[in-house]
Amino acid sequence: MGAMSGVGRGVAVVLVGLMSFGLLGVGAPAGFAAPDPTDAPAPPGGTVFSLTDMGTPAPLTFYGAQGTAELTFPVPRGLAPLTLNATVELPVNVRSGALSVTQQDRTIARIPLPTTDVAPIVIPLAGAAIADNSVTVTLRTSLVPVEGYCLDPTNPLRLTNAAVTFGGDEQPPATVAEFLPPILRRLTIAIPPKPERAESDAAVRLAAAVTARYGQQPTKIAVVPSVPPPPPAGPFERQIVIQQGDDVGLALQPMAGEMPNLRISGPEGELTNQARLLSSDLDRLALSSTAVVGPLRTAPQLPGDVTTLRRLGQPVVSAVALAPQVAIGIDQTRMGRPAKNVRVHLIGSYTPLPAGVSARLLAIVGGETIDTWQVDDRGLIDRWIDVPDRLLQRYTTVGISLDVAGNTGRCGEFQPLTLTVDGDSAVESSAAVPPTPAGLQSLPQALMPRTLIGIGPDAFADTVRATTIAVALQRLSALPIDTAVTGIDEALAGKLPAVIISADGWDQPDVPLPIRADQGRLTVDGTSADGKPDTLTLAPELRYGALQAFHDGRRSLLVATSNGAPDQLDALLGWVSADPRRFSKLDGIALVGAPGQQPVVVGLQPGVTVSASGSGNRILWWAAGAVTAVAVVGAAFSLLSRNRRRSGGTDDG
């Protein structure tokens, strides 16, 4: 989902060897419950972090008889890695095998692999050198097939449920630069119960910046009142207190026998700037217990209408297999704006084929072939491909595959082919207004590079809601999102895209929402064939919270509101934040939650856009989660059931 940069960006896994795109989701045999290594007891003074906690959800995969994976993971100060605990899943027809761990030219460990198909494994890591608060090791597998059988090059050895056991104790930070650790389980931001606008702004900016810093790590971020003081932070947790006042800067606040917290303070015009230090490159230089930063700028460098795969985070994509496939990611959040008319100039190479074997190259998006061409004896790729606008998502994966036909013989007789797409391949696009795709899949790119967040008079509660939304949006983005907290009227009057939080209801008649409610009367724009609104009168009146994303004719808006049920909006935001993957899969124009039910998505038919006018739009309802979610609005929504479909939001990221 996002780029991996900076300390604590998590775990980077680079797979080398025989790879096959699209087969990484193969699970354990049916009925097998894989043990969770994080449940294993840690040694005295030790700590266990899963690879997911450290930033990567993917298993380690090893293809072919000789497979290789490079693993990098962060190491908090005071800790040292002891073991990598995992469940090993062997490919079929394996008689025996071994796994080795090396670091540069030094062997850390070499152990035999279990002979059963699925078994726990403990891989020693003691003695691995730590550099820049991280460890990088190379894992290699050697497999011997059963006599008379060949290893399937598309069926890898997998290490799942992987976790690292650390020895030692976390050291408390002594300077501002050390305050945020490489692995952060939870950040608590404390603000006054009745915050000033600058305090709300600093809290939201800080939450988004920390989310961007930790990338794939599932760091929990909470905003709490500073009075009474929150309980002390636990291991691998941090607390930051934001206070508007005369004192300027960041300062560690010692806590007797506990982890110190960080106080960020300053007058109204300085407070936000001081909070920016933790997300800037200057934080590494804050080698004291107190630091005051000068003016900082947060404008990201956007790639423009013409960029390259390298600038989109893909320096080179390569695969080695009998029929190699690679995946190119078109990430609109890296473009910093909604895109359309996307074209990719593929530059690369493939292994020339021997006589008697033919092949063709295919470009595939969302299971649909968008281009195909024959190979030649030069082994070079130089071709423009167009990605249809109707297939674009927030993250769009373009699969390039080399399909081979002919007699490839027994194992070892036909050598694997290499398929490579160079990072200098050009990517052209133009800005999409209104965004493509529409609705929730247009976020956060339609809100970039800078978005206003309008909050209401209940400043503390709305700051909590704004923080939840900012964190959810930032988790989707490879680039930092710059936010500015304002009032609702100011945000609506501005020209920038905006997030509006109006928890008690919507009283902006100049900006009609796609879904509206008034005294039990529910209005949904454009469900009728003639484009007129459909209305339903519900008894008793349905109370709901909603997130609605649309283009108002000038810019994109995300509105968090309810029909007089702010608690229901809070429950909906809690559902979104409980699993970082949920928001990425939503592809309608609104997410609606009612009491006692799973949230429901209001979806769009292909090729339809939604604006504030609602004219000519066609909208349908479908479940965001379990089938039971359809009941969120009860039988009253049976009128719309002709348009209901199952959840199937694409997440190509």
Side-chain angles (χ1 to χ4, degrees):
M1 284 221 299
M4 299 183 65
S5 61
V7 176
R9 266 293 183 180
V11 181
V13 180
V14 181
L15 303 181
V16 183
L18 301 177
M19 299 185 67
S20 177
F21 169 69
L23 296 176
L24 300 183
V26 179
F32 173 77
D36 186 350
T38 60
D39 293 335
T47 305
V48 177
F49 283 108
S50 71
L51 294 192
T52 302
D53 291 337
M54 295 187 291
T56 179
L60 302 177
T61 53
F62 304 80
Y63 287 82
Q66 306 289 330
T68 303
E70 186 175 90
L71 173 64
T72 299
F73 56 87
V75 180
R77 295 176 64 250
L79 302 189
L82 299 179
T83 61
L84 174 64
N85 319 310
T87 300
V88 60
E89 299 176 7
L90 293 177
V92 296
N93 299 326
V94 171
R95 185 178 68 186
S96 62
L99 183 147
S100 64
V101 182
T102 60
Q103 192 175 50
Q104 297 179 345
D105 297 329
R106 185 167 61 97
T107 299
I108 304 296
R110 183 181 291 114
I111 61 174
L113 289 169
T115 56
T116 55
D117 291 341
V118 181
I121 189 172
V122 178
I123 304 168
L125 294 177
I130 302 171
D132 295 329
N133 294 321
S134 67
V135 163
T136 298
V137 294
T138 300
L139 286 73
R140 291 184 174 88
T141 57
S142 298
L143 304 179
V144 178
V146 174
E147 186 175 354
Y149 287 88
C150 306
L151 292 176
D152 182 356
T154 65
N155 185 13
L157 180 150
R158 291 161 34 103
L159 296 181
T160 62
N161 300 316
V164 176
T165 298
F166 294 91
D169 295 301
E170 181 187 17
Q171 295 182 8
T175 67
V176 173
E178 296 171 348
F179 181 74
L180 291 178
I183 303 173
L184 183 62
R185 285 173 169 162
R186 180 183 178 88
L187 173 66
T188 300
I189 302 174
I191 61 175
K194 295 182 178 180
E196 301 292 339
R197 183 64 50 80
E199 293 166 332
S200 295
D201 185 40
V204 174
R205 287 177 184 266
L206 180 61
V210 169
T211 302
R213 178 188 181 107
Y214 285 93
Q216 299 291 329
Q217 289 190 31
T219 303
K220 297 184 182 300
I221 299 179
V223 175
V224 301
S226 56
V227 180
F236 308 101
E237 297 180 355
R238 295 293 186 268
Q239 287 184 5
I240 297 177
V241 178
I242 295 176
Q243 179 70 57
Q244 182 173 319
D246 295 334
D247 294 336
V248 181
L250 294 83
L252 290 178
Q253 305 290 308
M255 308 278 288
E258 304 288 351
M259 190 70 63
N261 63 26
L262 183 70
R263 183 174 184 269
I264 302 177
S265 58
E268 181 179 1
E270 277 289 328
L271 187 59
T272 296
N273 193 64
Q274 298 305 312
R276 287 194 180 111
L277 175 62
L278 292 182
S279 61
S280 75
D281 291 335
L282 291 178
D283 73 325
R284 294 175 296 177
L285 301 177
L287 301 176
S288 65
S289 60
T290 303
V292 179
V293 67
L296 293 175
R297 301 292 179 260
T298 59
Q301 298 297 315
L302 301 182
D305 293 346
V306 180
T307 185
T308 63
L309 292 179
R310 190 181 309 278
R311 291 201 64 191
L312 294 179
Q314 300 167 95
V316 64
V317 286
S318 183
V320 182
L322 297 181
Q325 302 177 346
V326 297
I328 299 169
I330 307 300
D331 184 350
Q332 294 194 42
T333 72
R334 283 189 177 272
M335 296 177 176
R337 54 152 172 74
K340 64 179 181 180
N341 302 327
V342 175
R343 304 181 69 219
V344 182
H345 187 194
L346 293 176
I347 302 295
S349 62
Y350 52 88
T351 305
L353 300 173
V357 178
S358 62
R360 61 175 182 164
L361 285 158
L362 291 85
I364 302 172
V365 176
E368 180 177 328
T369 299
I370 61 173
D371 198 3
T372 180
W373 65 100
Q374 291 296 123
V375 302
D376 55 33
D377 56 4
R378 299 178 305 158
L380 298 178
I381 301 175
D382 184 354
R383 189 175 184 89
W384 283 95
I385 60 172
D386 297 303
V387 181
D389 289 349
R390 60 184 173 81
L391 297 179
L392 288 175
Q393 295 290 303
R394 179 189 302 114
Y395 316 116
T396 304
T397 299
V398 181
I400 308 298
S401 65
L402 183 61
D403 281 6
V404 178
N407 182 14
T408 59
R410 285 179 51 80
C411 46
E413 295 179 5
F414 183 78
Q415 294 300 312
L417 306 175
T418 299
L419 174 63
T420 300
V421 176
D422 194 81
D424 291 328
S425 298
V427 179
E428 295 183 355
S429 65
S430 56
V433 181
T436 301
L440 295 169
Q441 274 289 314
S442 72
L443 306 178
Q445 63 270 21
L447 302 176
M448 297 171 72
R450 181 176 173 82
T451 186
L452 303 178
I453 298 183
I455 65 174
D458 190 355
F460 180 84
D462 280 359
T463 300
V464 174
R465 296 168 182 132
T467 300
T468 301
I469 294 172
V471 168
L473 293 173
Q474 184 62 69
R475 290 194 190 280
L476 302 177
S477 178
L479 297 179
I481 301 174
D482 190 18
T483 63
V485 173
T486 69
I488 293 177
D489 292 340
E490 183 180 351
L492 289 175
K495 298 180 180 179
L496 293 175
V499 176
I500 308 298
I501 299 171
S502 183
D504 288 325
W506 190 247
D507 57 356
Q508 304 290 335
D510 294 338
V511 186
L513 302 178
I515 303 171
R516 305 180 295 278
D518 182 24
Q519 297 181 352
R521 180 184 175 91
L522 188 73
T523 302
V524 183
D525 282 338
T527 55
S528 298
D530 57 7
K532 295 181 179 180
D534 275 334
T535 61
L536 296 171
T537 300
L538 307 180
E541 181 179 357
L542 175 73
R543 293 294 180 181
Y544 68 85
L547 289 172
Q548 305 192 43
F550 58 96
H551 194 271
D552 72 349
R554 296 185 301 128
R555 40 66 187 284
S556 291
L557 295 175
L558 173 64
V559 175
T561 188
S562 74
N563 60 337
D567 290 345
Q568 199 56 48
L569 174 61
D570 293 337
L572 180 66
L573 294 177
W575 181 87
V576 169
S577 62
D579 185 346
R581 297 168 297 181
R582 283 175 174 165
F583 206 178
S584 68
K585 297 180 180 180
L586 303 177
D587 67 353
I589 60 166
L591 179 67
V592 182
Q597 302 291 340
Q598 289 288 323
V600 162
V601 167
V602 180
L604 283 175
Q605 290 188 357
V608 175
T609 60
V610 171
S611 64
S613 66
S615 128
N617 300 326
R618 190 159 180 80
I619 304 175
L620 63 147
W621 288 79
W622 56 280
V627 175
T628 56
V630 178
V632 67
V633 288
F637 279 124
S638 62
L639 174 64
L640 305 179
S641 63
R642 64 184 183 274
N643 287 330
R644 185 178 292 143
R645 56 183 170 89
R646 285 181 63 94
S647 171
T650 302
D651 182 13
D652 289 313

